[in-house]
Amino acid sequence: MLDPQLSAWRERSDAALAGALPALDIEPKTLHAAMRHAVLLGGKRMRPLLVHASGVLFDADPLVLDAPAVAIELIHAYSLVHDDLPAMDDDALRRGQPTVHVAFDDATAILAGDALQSLAFEVLAAAPVDAAIRVELLRILATAAGASGMCGGQALDLGATGNGGALTLAELEHLHRLKTGALIRAAVRMGALCGGADDDELASLDVYADALGLAFQVRDDILDVEGDSATLGKTAGKDVAQDKATFPALLGMQASRERLAELTQAMRGALAPFGARAEALRALGRLAVERDR
Amino acid sequence: MLDPQLSAWRERSDAALAGALPALDIEPKTLHAAMRHAVLLGGKRMRPLLVHASGVLFDADPLVLDAPAVAIELIHAYSLVHDDLPAMDDDALRRGQPTVHVAFDDATAILAGDALQSLAFEVLAAAPVDAAIRVELLRILATAAGASGMCGGQALDLGATGNGGALTLAELEHLHRLKTGALIRAAVRMGALCGGADDDELASLDVYADALGLAFQVRDDILDVEGDSATLGKTAGKDVAQDKATFPALLGMQASRERLAELTQAMRGALAPFGARAEALRALGRLAVERDR
């Protein structure tokens, strides 16, 4: 159950995403439909919520926060579209819906993903805030999305798949720090930056975001083992089937749960200096750790 | 034969691209190798040359122009990588080399394209120029690359392939104004913007760039019919084989050549106000119209 503040931000993000995506009734309609399918049919909106929850710590203007919230979700959504392609994870189900290449076709899915990435930067470039801050937001997002961030992590994952036992724990964590962690850290950092956070504050939030990103992935790996496809909204058991490097495969379930507890402690410590104002970030940490899908 | 100024800009762009791409000796090495393969093995560098040729009209600083020159070539290169995929045009040869998915694999090609797009925006965000201009460059490139530009044109092309006879000339030209024209207009506009061009100057240059983009495509279509694969560095005759909408298919060869002459006239008229300083833009126009690959 989402608390009212998080629910309100989620609704706000959904509306901002719907408004930023190209309309269904203008050409090329199929591309636009595929882009909207990729983004608007469900999703936890974890990254937009992190932007708002981080921004509120520093009284950032919600109108400004909408831009990075939308942009980061567009990047996340495009990565899922490409990740689900037959040439990558070959997944037919996502958020309980047919994946984009299943609902449309592979070529449209590739293009829709590409256009979603462009749109993310277009949205950020139009954020109603000083150009200097916009450039910094653009730099953070581009770096987090690219070869030294999310795409780099995907490439490491590709190299490790079918070879699950060969990674060390440090390598597995590095992979996830790039693959999912880079965007999560970017979300928190962009929100804080919109409110004028200082370097010490950004450093504490990086510790929180780093632990959150890893916790999110450990929980994901546990759910792939324990969950069922109907609840998850995606195909369960794929990691084992593909001999993916996962925390349960490397550590076992018990030690994976212990690692999750450690990461929860790390989040708690990093948020302590912010007191009661960080309640939304704490709630998002609990959601990541306790979610069942 | 390229004139010395264009040759110098091409070498400058090649060096700037090599410097912007991630190194081969850091992880993930396969991703980095695929990105470098996509960008550094040949290519006419038409778009970087347009950035420099447009910027020089207004005495823009070459150090500033390097950023949009690199960024736009990264976008162009990523689009070729994705376009060549089996799910799209399924091309094995590009610039006389194996395409990225042939040299590596489909998944790596998808990721390398994605990471090249991110890198384009990362490079622009770091351009050594006022934040206000950087934001404008970022906005121009993101818009040109996305659903209302290049990706939109690709989607229209996808819809028209296998159905070549069904497009009108106006529809075919609209398709190419998005698919290749948007980036060419962006290249010219970004160069001019770095030198502080005013709205009238930008409008004249838009006319030039629009005609150049179409001329480039008309010539491409003619070469696909007349050229051979060895000279082209890519597979000739693919358009007819795939029943693609092309100018020769729609107009015949004679009328296609006449359209090319009209576009040449349009370029000449648009550049007249700039006098002798526009010689490099004129040379690029001639190259587009007269090239044999």
Side-chain angles (χ1 to χ4, degrees):
Chain A
M1 195 56 187
L2 217 52
D3 79 32
Q5 177 64 85
L6 294 183
S7 290
W9 284 332
R10 180 182 287 180
E11 278 170 36
R12 183 181 180 101
S13 300
D14 284 340
L17 283 162
L21 285 159
L24 286 174
D25 61 352
I26 54 171
E27 291 288 350
K29 290 177 189 171
T30 306
L31 178 68
H32 295 176
M35 292 169 74
R36 298 182 75 93
H37 180 104
V39 177
L40 298 178
L41 295 183
K44 291 180 281 288
R45 308 299 184 220
M46 174 66 84
R47 291 154 195 80
L49 291 175
L50 285 169
V51 171
H52 282 286
S54 172
V56 82
L57 280 183
F58 307 98
D59 294 319
D61 182 346
L63 286 171
V64 173
L65 293 172
D66 282 338
V70 164
I72 201 149
E73 188 71 3
L74 293 174
I75 294 286
H76 174 58
Y78 111 68
S79 79
L80 298 182
V81 174
H82 283 185
D83 209 33
D84 287 337
L85 284 165
M88 305 269 290
D89 277 359
D90 194 13
D91 234 316
L93 200 61
R94 167 73 69 181
R95 296 171 172 174
Q97 304 282 343
T99 47
V100 175
H101 69 275
V102 169
F104 297 84
D105 55 48
D106 291 6
T108 302
I110 293 167
L111 280 179
D114 290 343
L116 288 171
Q117 179 168 192
S118 303
L119 183 59
F121 296 106
E122 200 178 335
V123 165
L124 266 194
V129 64
D130 277 357
I133 290 181
R134 264 183 288 170
V135 164
E136 182 63 8
L137 296 173
L138 283 154
R139 195 193 59 74
I140 290 170
L141 188 63
T143 308
S148 61
M150 183 182 73
C151 286
Q154 299 257 48
L156 292 175
D157 201 15
L158 218 56
T161 298
N163 191 19
L167 289 190
T168 64
L169 179 62
E171 286 168 340
L172 182 64
E173 295 202 346
H174 176 63
L175 184 165
H176 289 303
R177 281 198 165 91
L178 300 188
K179 187 181 172 186
T180 54
L183 277 198
I184 286 175
R185 289 194 305 277
V188 170
R189 180 170 275 265
M190 289 197 296
L193 194 80
C194 288
D198 66 31
D199 286 350
D200 284 350
E201 291 162 333
L202 289 172
S204 291
L205 288 173
D206 268 347
V207 172
Y208 159 80
D210 182 65
L212 176 68
L214 281 180
F216 196 86
Q217 191 58 51
V218 175
R219 183 69 190 155
D220 222 50
D221 287 355
I222 291 174
L223 284 172
D224 188 76
V225 176
E226 287 187 340
D228 62 277
S229 302
T231 308
L232 288 176
K234 63 182 176 184
T235 313
K238 294 236 2 171
D239 294 343
V240 172
Q242 297 183 341
D243 191 19
K244 279 216 166 195
T246 67
F247 289 94
L250 199 61
L251 300 176
M253 290 296 271
Q254 179 57 30
S256 296
R257 286 201 195 84
E258 284 163 16
R259 183 76 183 107
L260 209 47
E262 275 173 27
L263 293 165
T264 303
Q265 276 302 112
M267 285 191 261
R268 191 168 301 157
L271 293 181
F274 299 101
R277 307 191 73 186
E279 211 39 66
L281 288 177
R282 285 187 194 96
L284 288 168
R286 284 193 299 275
L287 274 179
V289 169
E290 293 163 11
R291 71 202 166 92
D292 61 1
R293 66 189 183 93
Chain B
M1 194 59 184
L2 218 51
D3 80 31
Q5 176 65 86
L6 294 183
S7 291
W9 284 332
R10 182 182 286 181
E11 278 170 37
R12 183 181 179 101
S13 300
D14 284 340
L17 283 163
L21 284 160
L24 286 173
D25 60 352
I26 56 172
E27 292 288 352
K29 290 177 190 172
T30 306
L31 178 69
H32 295 176
M35 292 169 73
R36 298 182 75 93
H37 180 104
V39 177
L40 297 179
L41 296 184
K44 291 180 281 288
R45 310 296 185 222
M46 175 65 84
R47 293 154 194 80
L49 291 175
L50 285 168
V51 171
H52 283 285
S54 173
V56 82
L57 281 182
F58 308 98
D59 294 320
D61 182 346
L63 286 170
V64 174
L65 293 172
D66 282 338
V70 164
I72 201 148
E73 187 70 4
L74 294 174
I75 293 287
H76 174 59
Y78 111 69
S79 79
L80 298 182
V81 174
H82 283 185
D83 210 31
D84 288 337
L85 284 166
M88 306 269 289
D89 278 358
D90 194 14
D91 235 316
L93 200 62
R94 168 74 69 182
R95 297 170 171 176
Q97 304 282 343
T99 47
V100 175
H101 69 274
V102 169
F104 296 85
D105 55 49
D106 291 6
T108 302
I110 294 168
L111 280 179
D114 291 342
L116 288 171
Q117 180 169 190
S118 304
L119 183 59
F121 296 105
E122 199 178 335
V123 165
L124 267 193
V129 64
D130 278 357
I133 290 182
R134 264 182 288 170
V135 164
E136 184 61 9
L137 296 173
L138 283 154
R139 194 192 60 73
I140 290 170
L141 188 63
T143 307
S148 60
M150 183 183 73
C151 286
Q154 298 257 49
L156 291 175
D157 200 16
L158 219 55
T161 297
N163 191 22
L167 289 190
T168 65
L169 179 62
E171 287 168 340
L172 182 64
E173 294 202 345
H174 176 64
L175 184 165
H176 289 303
R177 282 200 163 89
L178 300 187
K179 187 181 171 185
T180 54
L183 278 199
I184 286 174
R185 289 195 304 278
V188 171
R189 180 169 275 266
M190 289 197 295
L193 195 80
C194 288
D198 67 30
D199 287 350
D200 284 349
E201 292 163 331
L202 289 172
S204 290
L205 289 173
D206 269 346
V207 172
Y208 159 79
D210 183 64
L212 176 69
L214 282 180
F216 195 86
Q217 190 58 50
V218 175
R219 184 69 191 154
D220 222 52
D221 288 355
I222 290 174
L223 284 172
D224 187 77
V225 176
E226 287 186 340
D228 62 275
S229 303
T231 309
L232 288 174
K234 62 183 177 184
T235 312
K238 293 230 14 162
D239 294 343
V240 173
Q242 297 182 343
D243 191 19
K244 279 217 169 195
T246 67
F247 289 93
L250 198 61
L251 299 177
M253 290 295 271
Q254 179 57 30
S256 296
R257 286 199 194 85
E258 284 162 17
R259 185 76 184 107
L260 210 48
E262 275 173 27
L263 292 165
T264 303
Q265 278 302 111
M267 284 190 260
R268 191 168 301 157
L271 293 181
F274 299 101
R277 309 192 73 187
E279 214 36 69
L281 288 177
R282 286 187 194 95
L284 288 168
R286 284 192 300 274
L287 273 181
V289 169
E290 294 163 13
R291 69 203 167 91
D292 60 0
R293 66 187 182 94

